[in-house]
Amino acid sequence: IVSKDYNLIKFLNWKSDVKRAAGRYRGLQTWKSQNEFAFTNLLASQDESLKRVLESEVLVAPEGMVDKQGRTVLVGRLRNNDMSDGRTPRDVVRMFIYT
C-alpha cells in the first residue's frame, strides 16, 4: 500500500463518516504542506537540535505503561522543556512528530 493510501485508510477506520474522514485527511495534508519544517530531516542522528530536544526527556514512555489496546503511552514532562538551551517551538513540535 502506498503511504498516502495507508494514511487515508487509517482516517477511514477512525471515522465511519467518509465525508468527515476525507475532510480531516485533506486538512492534515494542507497542514503538512504549510508546515514542511516539521517533516524534513526527522533523523536524530543527522539533526543535533532534534537530538538535543529528544534527550531532554520531555517525552517519556514509562516501561509497562500501556493503554487498553496495549499501545505504549507517552507522557509529556513539560517541566523538562527548558527553552533557555536554545530550542525553539519548532524544535519541540518536531520532537512530538518524531515520536
Side-chain angles (χ1 to χ4, degrees):
I1 296 178
V2 177
S3 178
K4 286 185 178 182
D5 293 340
Y6 176 73
N7 286 331
L8 180 57
I9 289 170
K10 285 193 320 188
F11 272 80
L12 290 172
N13 286 331
W14 179 56
K15 293 286 179 198
S16 57
D17 179 353
V18 174
K19 286 184 181 180
R20 189 171 177 195
R24 296 247 177 145
Y25 180 74
R26 279 190 226 100
L28 173 67
Q29 295 304 315
T30 300
W31 186 86
K32 280 184 170 184
S33 68
Q34 293 171 348
N35 297 284
E36 291 182 19
F37 75 90
F39 301 95
T40 55
N41 192 23
L42 278 179
L43 298 173
S45 61
Q46 296 177 4
D47 187 335
E48 288 301 316
S49 177
L50 178 59
K51 185 176 181 178
R52 183 181 71 247
V53 175
L54 287 167
E55 290 174 346
S56 68
E57 296 187 357
V58 173
L59 281 179
V60 294
E63 191 172 328
M65 186 180 281
V66 294
D67 66 7
K68 290 180 181 179
Q69 286 79 33
R71 297 174 295 209
T72 301
V73 174
L74 291 176
V75 176
R77 298 168 135 181
L78 298 179
R79 69 177 182 271
N80 292 350
N81 188 29
D82 182 10
M83 300 294 277
S84 68
D85 70 356
R87 71 183 69 175
T88 66
R90 285 184 174 209
D91 294 331
V92 176
V93 168
R94 293 181 77 236
M95 172 192 57
F96 278 96
I97 292 171
Y98 177 84
T99 54

